[in-house]
Amino acid sequence: MKVIVCNNSEEMSKVAAQIFADRIRKKPNIVLGLATGGTPVKMYKELIRMHKEEGLDFSKVVSFNLDEYLGISGNHHQSYRYFMDTNLFNHININKSNTHVLNGKAKDAAAECKTYEDAIKKAGGIDIQLLGIGGNGHIAFNEPGSPKDSRTRIVDLTKKTIEDNARFFVDVNEVPKQALSMGNGTIMEAKEIVLIADKTSKADALSKSIEGPVTEQVPASLLQAHKNTTFVIDTDAAVKLKKKYESPKATASKGGCCCK
Ligand code: F6R
């Protein structure tokens, strides 16, 4: 597991975007795993810039999103489908039919989850998965205690996650109480994983995930057992880490990646 500590949120976003751009250039028909939330917005802006100014080509890219709220449709402004369309897909040359987001309005939600797992397998698995992290250490909507081998399924959101996500809704009571989410097991099968985090509100979860024991109580700590995971975080999010980690420049000088 690699940890890159960036000077700020802008640098974190650029470093993560450069990793994704590098993988897309190397494999144009790559299968991306994507995340929503506040953290990836600037990274997606950078990918859009790279598409417009540097010709980064998404025409053959396939994507699968981590999760979706249960009970709301893709047209709902707080749905994750709407988020992906407005923050990324509408601004790049990705074929929308290659973009997959779980259907929160599916009549049979359990069947929707099974179909999603099958679609990921049929696409050859996820080449590179983007993750954020919840203040409680969740990845996707795998809340503390989610089994390490869990698959895409219906999950109950914790009070903390509902409160954290209320900022996107008019009222906390509007936040759905359940979601459809890839499981920890699904995520761990990705060939490469990049977790991004900024802000001191993530510092506690990151110190437990990176330097604490591997436990289902802190789902992001499970990533310690993954062969190709990079945490790209900023100094605010890193305040509680005890060990010293690389800066983007140090990584670049070794040919790892990427910050200009
Ligand atoms: C979003 C997701 C969540 C978020 C996490 C952090 O698709 O799966 O796990 O990554 O809740 O959210 P933000 O970035 O809003 O702090």
Side-chain angles (χ1 to χ4, degrees):
M1 193 180 70
K2 199 157 89 181
V3 180
I4 302 175
V5 180
C6 303
N7 285 316
N8 50 44
S9 176
E10 284 66 34
E11 192 179 46
M12 174 206 80
S13 306
K14 282 193 178 155
V15 169
Q18 282 169 17
I19 294 173
F20 273 71
D22 174 69
R23 306 305 185 263
I24 293 166
R25 288 191 187 104
K26 283 185 179 138
K27 184 178 179 187
N29 63 346
I30 194 165
V31 181
L32 304 179
L34 297 174
T36 61
T39 318
V41 171
K42 286 196 288 273
M43 170 188 163
Y44 289 157
K45 280 207 171 85
E46 177 64 7
L47 286 173
I48 294 166
R49 189 199 63 73
M50 288 171 162
H51 166 66
K52 294 201 164 133
E53 292 176 14
E54 298 169 13
L56 183 62
D57 181 16
F58 291 84
S59 61
K60 297 193 181 74
V61 169
V62 174
S63 73
F64 288 89
N65 261 78
L66 285 168
D67 40 20
E68 179 60 283
Y69 289 118
L70 184 63
I72 63 177
S73 81
N75 298 324
H76 189 291
H77 283 203
Q78 304 311 334
S79 74
Y80 287 173
R81 159 55 73 182
Y82 187 86
F83 174 99
M84 289 311 300
D85 285 349
T86 51
N87 283 288
L88 183 64
F89 299 152
N90 289 350
H91 311 285
I92 56 176
N93 66 334
I94 199 163
N95 181 345
K96 282 270 182 87
S97 63
N98 286 342
T99 68
H100 302 86
V101 183
L102 284 149
N103 177 6
K105 272 285 201 192
K107 279 205 184 87
D108 183 342
E112 168 72 6
C113 294
K114 164 91 178 64
T115 306
Y116 205 69
E117 285 275 338
D118 292 345
I120 294 171
K121 279 201 188 88
K122 207 171 152 206
I126 290 170
D127 290 303
I128 179 164
Q129 174 69 57
L130 178 69
L131 296 176
I133 183 170
N136 61 5
H138 75 213
I139 47 175
F141 277 132
N142 294 291
E143 299 285 26
S146 298
K148 63 174 194 294
D149 56 358
S150 50
R151 312 300 310 184
T152 306
R153 68 204 184 291
I154 304 166
V155 293
D156 295 329
L157 305 184
T158 60
K159 193 164 168 277
K160 164 111 181 92
T161 297
I162 291 168
E163 284 166 5
D164 283 353
N165 288 1
R167 67 191 193 278
F168 299 113
F169 291 80
V170 179
D171 189 83
V172 68
N173 297 315
E174 277 187 20
V175 186
K177 309 283 178 288
Q178 287 187 306
L180 306 179
S181 176
M182 278 189 203
N184 288 322
T186 322
I187 292 168
M188 290 294 280
E189 279 171 14
K191 292 165 195 117
E192 180 173 7
I193 296 176
V194 175
L195 185 148
I196 55 173
D198 54 9
K199 300 196 174 63
T200 49
S201 58
K202 302 294 172 66
D204 191 46
L206 283 170
S207 97
K208 287 180 181 150
S209 304
I210 295 170
E211 296 180 344
V214 176
T215 164
E216 289 171 348
Q217 292 312 315
V218 184
S221 72
L222 300 173
L223 300 172
Q224 290 180 33
H226 188 272
K227 284 198 195 83
N228 191 7
T229 287
T230 306
F231 283 71
V232 182
I233 65 178
D234 76 350
T235 45
D236 285 345
V239 285
K240 291 200 174 168
L241 295 180
K242 296 209 167 59
K243 293 185 200 148
K244 273 252 161 246
Y245 296 97
E246 281 187 1
S247 66
K249 263 195 189 141
T251 311
S253 70
K254 285 189 221 153
C257 83
C258 42
C259 219
K260 284 174 194 159

